[in-house]
Amino acid sequence: MAKNVVERLEKVRIEKSAEQGASIYEGWRGIRAAQENYLKEMKPGSKGEYLMVGASRQLHKKLDAYFNYFHERRAKMKIPAKLLFNENNREFGKLKGEYAPVEIRYMPKKVITPSWMSTYKEMVLIGVAEEGMPMAIFIKNRAVAESYRQYFYFMWEKSKE
C-alpha cells in the first residue's frame, strides 16, 4: 500500500516537473540540442508562432546550415515565424525568407547583439554565441514566455523590413 502511494507521488512529481523548468546547454552542439526542443513541441498546423530576435553573425557563421534545416522543418509543419535580425546579419536573414510562412525584419544599425532570444508557445531559449563558450538557456514557463513575446513585439514594431 505505502509503496503504491510513493510510486503515484513520484509519477505526479515527474509529470509536474515536465510542465516547467530550465536547462543550460553549452557549446555549439548544446545550442542545436536546445533548439531541437522546439521541434519536439511543434505539431503541423498547430497554433502558435516561432519568434526570434537578435541572431548574431557569429551564431550564423557556425550554425547557419543547422538553422536552415530547422526552418525547413518548421516551414513544412506550417508553423509561422517572425525573425528579427541584427542589421549586420542581412545575408543570413534573407536566406531564412525561403522558409515560409515567415516574416523578417532588422533592428536598427546601432543595436548589435551577441545574444539572441527565441520563443514558441510556453518555451524560451536565450543564447549567446561567443567563441569561447557558446551557450543556451532553455526555459519552459508560460509566464516567462508571455513576457518575452511582449518584449519581442515591442522590438518588432520598432524595426524595419
Side-chain angles (χ1 to χ4, degrees):
M1 177 77 163
K3 185 178 177 183
N4 248 352
V5 171
V6 170
E7 287 174 357
R8 287 194 325 218
L9 287 173
E10 282 293 316
K11 187 177 179 184
V12 168
R13 186 178 63 134
I14 290 167
E15 288 174 1
K16 192 75 169 163
S17 67
E19 292 176 15
Q20 65 178 6
S23 301
I24 297 175
Y25 296 81
E26 294 181 338
W28 299 111
R29 285 185 184 167
I31 289 172
R32 286 192 304 264
Q35 191 70 26
E36 286 294 311
N37 289 329
Y38 288 123
L39 289 171
K40 291 176 188 172
E41 298 287 329
M42 290 179 176
K43 306 291 184 251
S46 68
K47 292 187 178 181
E49 59 187 348
Y50 174 80
L51 308 174
M52 185 283 306
V53 61
S56 69
R57 290 184 59 75
Q58 183 68 19
L59 175 68
H60 282 280
K61 284 180 181 178
K62 289 285 190 179
L63 296 178
D64 198 55
Y66 167 76
F67 279 104
N68 289 340
Y69 180 54
F70 171 84
H71 284 290
E72 178 183 328
R73 293 180 289 164
R74 176 201 49 79
K76 284 181 182 175
M77 289 187 272
K78 307 232 184 297
I79 305 293
K82 287 187 170 121
L83 310 175
L84 183 52
F85 284 91
N86 291 338
E87 175 65 34
N88 71 350
N89 215 4
R90 280 188 175 267
E91 64 186 279
F92 297 113
K94 287 179 183 177
L95 291 173
K96 303 307 173 273
E98 298 175 19
Y99 305 107
V102 65
E103 293 178 62
I104 298 168
R105 290 189 184 176
Y106 299 90
M107 292 188 285
K109 284 183 181 181
K110 63 184 175 184
V111 179
I112 303 295
T113 62
S115 66
W116 76 95
M117 177 282 301
S118 60
T119 184
Y120 176 74
K121 292 192 173 185
E122 70 276 358
M123 298 167 285
V124 175
L125 188 144
I126 303 166
V128 64
E130 292 190 0
E131 192 61 44
M133 181 50 75
M135 66 182 293
I137 302 165
F138 190 85
I139 303 167
K140 188 170 183 179
N141 179 287
R142 192 174 313 279
V144 171
E146 182 55 35
S147 294
Y148 276 91
R149 252 189 296 289
Q150 289 183 35
Y151 301 149
F152 174 87
Y153 277 106
F154 175 78
M155 291 183 280
W156 183 259
E157 293 304 317
K158 305 271 183 222
S159 64
K160 59 185 176 185
E161 293 181 17

